Amino acid sequence: MFALDTKYCTPIHTYFCFMRYFPLVIAACLSGFLFWALHAPIPLENAQLPPLGPFFNPYSGFWKNAEPVGAVPEGEIRLPGLQGRARVVFDDLMTPHIFAENEEDAFRIQGYITAQHRLWQMDITARQTAGRLSEVFGDRTLEADRLIRRRGLPYACERHWAAWQQSDTTRRMMEAYAEGVNAWIAQMRPADYPLEYKLLNYAPEPWTPLKSVLIIGSMMDALNNRDQDLAATNALAVFGRDTFDYLYPSYFTKNVPVVPDTGQWRLAPRAFKPAGNAPADWSVRESDTPPERALPVSFQDLNGSNNWVLSGSRTQSGAPILCNDMHLPLRLPHVWYQLQIHTPQHNTYGVIVPGVPGIVVGFNEQAAWGFTNVSQEVADWYKIDWTDTARTHYRLDGKIQAAQLRVEHIGVKGRPEALDTVRYTVWGPVVHDDSEHPLHDYAYRYVIHNAPDQNSLGRFYQIWQADNYSDYRAAIPGLGSLAQNVAFANQAGDIAITVQGQFPVRRYEQGRFLQDGSSSANAWLGFIPAEELPAMKNPSRGFVFSANQPSTDSSFPYFYLGNFDAYRGRRIHDRLKNMQAATVDSMIALQTDNYSQKPADALPVLLRLVQKEQLQAPQRDLLRKLEQWNYVYDRNSAAPTLFEMWFDSTYFRTWDELDTLRNRKQSVLFPESWRFIEMLDEDPLSVFFDHPATAVRESASDIATEAFLAVARRAADLPRDSLLWKHAKGLAIRHIARLDAFSRLDVATDGVRHAPNAIGADHGPSWRMIVELKTPVKAWGGYPGGQSGNPGSPYFDNMVDAWAAGDYYELLFLKDPAARPTGARKVVGTLSFIPAAR
């Protein structure tokens, strides 16, 4: 940096010359060190801090992500590729209302606006499904990337996009959306990057249609990915056929199906339900490692939802009312984003998945639609008969087949890429490569791996314009492998529900257990034809509904299985069948109903079984709280907590043998809670209530009493307020990256997973919507989050408190960009979009 010339210096002069420049040398060295330190990531034990210099830079660091309260979008934007002029009006929730001259422009603007608010969420969701998290997070997500690639999700999405882009309409829609996203990315400087990019020290990359397909794939997988093949096979091996059938009956007779039997299947063939048992050649092994879903079905975190439609004959206004609340893991940024799209062809409002063009659930000027998960299983496991130790060839029908080897290149931050080879068979990918895993030699047959019809996605998007039943029925097959109960209503007075999806045609009990993959005779027999799927239009009872209960009763001619809810549907049915002159307030009361059918079934039985003579005065006081309880999960009540503790304690004390197997890392199926309640009530002397280690034969009464005494002892040791349901349950809405500073922790709410207001510890109604099909249509809704994905924005979580309190916002459904509402809701800003100069 400088030179010290000592040619003419004496030693003393040299000393003073050196000392003169020494501070400059030290300062230069310190400056260099600080520059390096502030621009290098800081490694921690399980994470890595971003370079502190850029992160704290006042001109480009995290300070730039703080949005001032009251800032509104205003101005004019030149958008590349735009064909005409457009305007976007923002309301006081920062919901964009897009007014465009054609749909392609609307998709382009949708991409631009959504990226402006949710770019990092879009990016990380696409990366997760692509198996690319390790490019950002390093080694700690490598196994997650491996697993999702081994399950074939990126491969399935590639096949979907290869098919969909053959449709000009779909390709233009997806490309226009991607161009809009990229237009936003192109104008960003590093100072404008979302905060998470700065924290994780990486930059946005260009958006592609495949990324949108990956996000669609993530939603399909989250809703369809369930099976109990291994657990059921092990349970059958442990108990034998008769006991298995006793513990795990396939149908709960108290369920009210989505589509009841009205004689519509009377003449249908029943060839798919022959007598006979499914094969179970593989039993529990000591070396089995925990499966991905080893918990009992009644304690799994399942993605569910509620929807229903009341006909005008049951409403005060005489117009149908459609309601939908979709239950998903609750996260920040929120899973949904509100949007209105107005073009000359349609005017539609609803919620979208950030990263995907179009509106998923919503309404237009004539009709509304909503989804719940069907919950049927659409995945099976097949044992592969390998011919070689390298597992490159296998036997099928006595012939040798070559496995297709797909080499996965997984980028890993801070180290060379990792390579993994996935073996694809006629059944699907072989997921587990660990020789100790119980599914090591099994292939995964998953309906999502099927290539879709090229027009399917474009067909579904026609639901935006659906104003009659025929349009609705024509659009919903486009959902493809996303199995949903699709409710519909319009201003003409029609109401309907359809169980829609690709459902395998199975032999009796096929797919309930692990299957032999050496014979093609074990393949699915095709898919249930769309015209034979359960559906209902304008029933005489005046309503349709679904809550993840079974699609039909046992009269349906096709065999199916799945994880179905046993409680919400019964409560909703009972409320709807007694409704007359219903209003929007009636619908709000039902969506936020905290009454649970589960304790209504179980608690009277437990109270009858408990041996009250064994209880002391404090224990009788606790019991009295339960005796006086109305089965409502109120946040300030202790009774819900006491019931849940008592029920769980009784349950696991009964199934201690199964719990022992689970603790030994063996997957085994636990009886569902409804079946357990039946056993308590109808078979209290069952051998399963006996503790084998004791000399006496215990009954259900002994177990229930023992469990209650344990609960009472635990309650006596807890602070008094900790028994209140709001503290015992709690609700944490966490940031996607698990950053507590950007999360809403300990949100106090009512409700429980098995009540219509199905709020759990981190799961619940992700979007509540009520649409009254009057003229003009009116709607209300809300979700626990905000429109912005920026933790520094006032619109990041501004709707959480209203949602937790059960309050709703009237949804602004504008017909003109110049319209200004007269009610409580307001328009706060407008952006004009014009074509960029060519």
Side-chain angles (χ1 to χ4, degrees), residues 594-596 598-599 629-637 640-641 643-644 725 749-752 754-755:
N594 302 308
Y595 178 98
S596 173
K598 180 179 177 180
W629 185 38
N630 59 0
Y631 315 129
V632 172
Y633 282 72
D634 181 278
R635 70 186 76 183
N636 293 314
S637 172
T641 307
F643 167 75
E644 292 291 330
W725 183 237
T749 64
D750 302 316
V752 70
H754 36 77

Side-chain angles (χ1 to χ4, degrees), residues 303-309 322-328 361 370-373 485 487 497 544-549 565 567-573 576 590-593 752-759 764-769:
N303 291 322
S305 299
N306 304 321
N307 66 12
W308 61 83
V309 189
L322 181 144
C323 302
N324 194 192
D325 54 290
M326 298 175 287
H327 308 158
L328 290 170
V361 168
F371 295 151
T372 69
N373 207 27
N485 300 300
I497 196 164
V544 298
F545 83 106
S546 67
N548 316 115
Q549 77 270 38
D565 188 272
Y567 305 109
R568 284 182 286 114
R570 292 163 58 200
R571 173 62 173 175
I572 292 169
H573 175 266
L576 291 176
L590 183 47
Q591 282 193 335
T592 58
D593 182 6
V752 70
R753 292 291 297 272
H754 36 77
N757 189 24
I759 300 177
S766 62
W767 165 245
R768 292 182 179 131
M769 180 182 75

Side-chain angles (χ1 to χ4, degrees), residues 221-287:
D221 187 52
L223 296 173
N224 286 336
N225 173 30
R226 63 179 57 80
D227 68 78
Q228 298 168 344
D229 305 26
L230 175 62
T233 299
N234 287 344
L236 182 60
V238 168
F239 294 121
R241 188 73 216 192
D242 290 343
T243 302
F244 182 92
D245 289 344
Y246 169 83
L247 292 176
Y248 312 104
S250 58
Y251 190 77
F252 182 29
T253 56
K254 290 184 180 179
N255 268 325
V256 182
V258 176
V259 178
D261 180 8
T262 58
Q264 69 270 49
W265 302 305
R266 193 169 299 143
L267 301 179
R270 300 178 62 83
F272 305 107
K273 290 193 174 181
N277 295 338
D281 299 330
W282 307 287
S283 60
V284 176
R285 301 179 304 175
E286 289 291 332
S287 61

Side-chain angles (χ1 to χ4, degrees), residues 657-674:
E657 299 92 340
L658 296 180
D659 212 30
T660 299
L661 291 174
R662 187 179 61 175
N663 291 336
R664 286 160 52 192
K665 299 182 178 180
Q666 296 171 359
S667 172
V668 66
L669 195 64
F670 279 59
E672 293 192 63
S673 61
W674 62 262

Side-chain angles (χ1 to χ4, degrees), residues 587-660:
M587 301 297 95
I588 290 174
L590 183 47
Q591 282 193 335
T592 58
D593 182 6
N594 302 308
Y595 178 98
S596 173
Q597 191 64 48
K598 180 179 177 180
D601 288 352
L603 187 55
V605 179
L606 289 171
L607 290 172
R608 188 180 74 240
L609 291 172
V610 69
Q611 298 164 17
K612 297 181 178 63
E613 65 275 8
Q614 294 193 30
L615 307 185
Q616 303 298 321
Q619 297 160 349
R620 291 196 188 97
D621 289 342
L622 288 180
L623 194 69
R624 196 170 298 112
K625 288 181 183 293
L626 290 170
E627 291 172 334
Q628 296 170 353
W629 185 38
N630 59 0
Y631 315 129
V632 172
Y633 282 72
D634 181 278
R635 70 186 76 183
N636 293 314
S637 172
T641 307
L642 292 171
F643 167 75
E644 292 291 330
M645 292 168 64
W646 189 13
F647 184 88
D648 288 354
S649 181
T650 307
Y651 184 95
F652 284 109
R653 286 169 190 273
T654 301
W655 307 115
D656 49 355
E657 299 92 340
L658 296 180
D659 212 30
T660 299

